[in-house]
Amino acid sequence: MMTYHELASTVGLGVACFTFAALLIRKLRRFLQPRAKGENVASYLTRAREDQQLDKAAFVNMFGEGHATPHRINFALMLVWFWCVTKAPELTAPSLLYLMAGMWVTRDAANAARRPDFDRLGYSGRLWFRLFYAWSWPLSLINKTPPKAD
């Protein structure tokens, strides 16, 4: 029979391996794409490096130079949400409805985003961008300026 220590060690090792593999694939994803027909290795490597630079530039354009701040806010709010849901499970449905409403109301923010940069983000980057605005969707409604009547 497995003890709690062995179980925690196994789960911890699995999480560490998964995280390492995910970061490695994220770093090398442009090099894992197939070469175009007739493309030699040198031009393939140059194109992959340029794509990586464009991805980094798109990330900075979407989240700003100090892009750690939106990530910290999202991460802290998710931890608080998880803690609240474990302490009061009846808050799960209303809080998920709040977040879904935020995703729906702030879809204009994603549509108004710089399209080439937004499209270069991966799925996780797009989700973090949308969540950053979805948490505070009442503020985006208040700050919205009404259209001018002509």
Side-chain angles (χ1 to χ4, degrees):
M1 186 162 160
M2 195 180 256
T3 64
Y4 288 117
H5 176 69
E6 292 170 339
L7 180 66
S9 298
T10 304
V11 169
L13 180 63
V15 167
C17 289
F18 176 78
T19 303
F20 178 73
L23 291 174
L24 186 64
I25 288 173
R26 184 180 198 180
K27 183 75 175 165
L28 298 176
R29 79 171 185 210
R30 293 296 178 185
F31 294 98
L32 297 175
Q33 294 176 347
R35 289 190 309 184
K37 272 194 170 178
E39 185 179 32
N40 62 11
V41 175
S43 62
Y44 166 72
L45 293 174
T46 303
R47 181 178 53 84
R49 281 191 210 105
E50 289 172 356
D51 281 348
Q52 275 187 335
Q53 294 301 321
L54 287 173
D55 289 346
K56 287 179 186 176
F59 197 79
V60 168
N61 285 341
M62 293 304 292
F63 291 105
E65 193 64 41
H67 63 270
T69 303
H71 293 300
R72 287 183 188 138
I73 291 171
N74 281 341
F75 187 70
L77 286 172
M78 283 176 52
L79 286 179
V80 168
W81 182 76
F82 285 137
W83 181 80
C84 289
V85 166
T86 58
K87 297 299 179 190
E90 61 274 0
L91 291 178
T92 304
S95 60
L96 283 176
L97 287 173
Y98 172 83
L99 198 55
M100 287 188 334
M103 293 291 255
W104 185 74
V105 168
T106 60
R107 69 188 185 284
D108 291 337
N111 291 336
R114 299 172 195 92
R115 290 316 301 178
D117 293 335
F118 187 76
D119 293 339
R120 287 200 78 85
L121 293 177
Y123 289 116
S124 63
R126 292 178 190 185
L127 179 67
W128 281 111
F129 182 78
R130 293 288 304 275
L131 276 176
F132 184 64
Y133 290 101
W135 291 113
S136 60
W137 66 269
L139 293 177
S140 66
L141 286 180
I142 293 170
N143 293 334
K144 217 178 235 186
T145 57
K148 294 181 180 179
D150 289 329

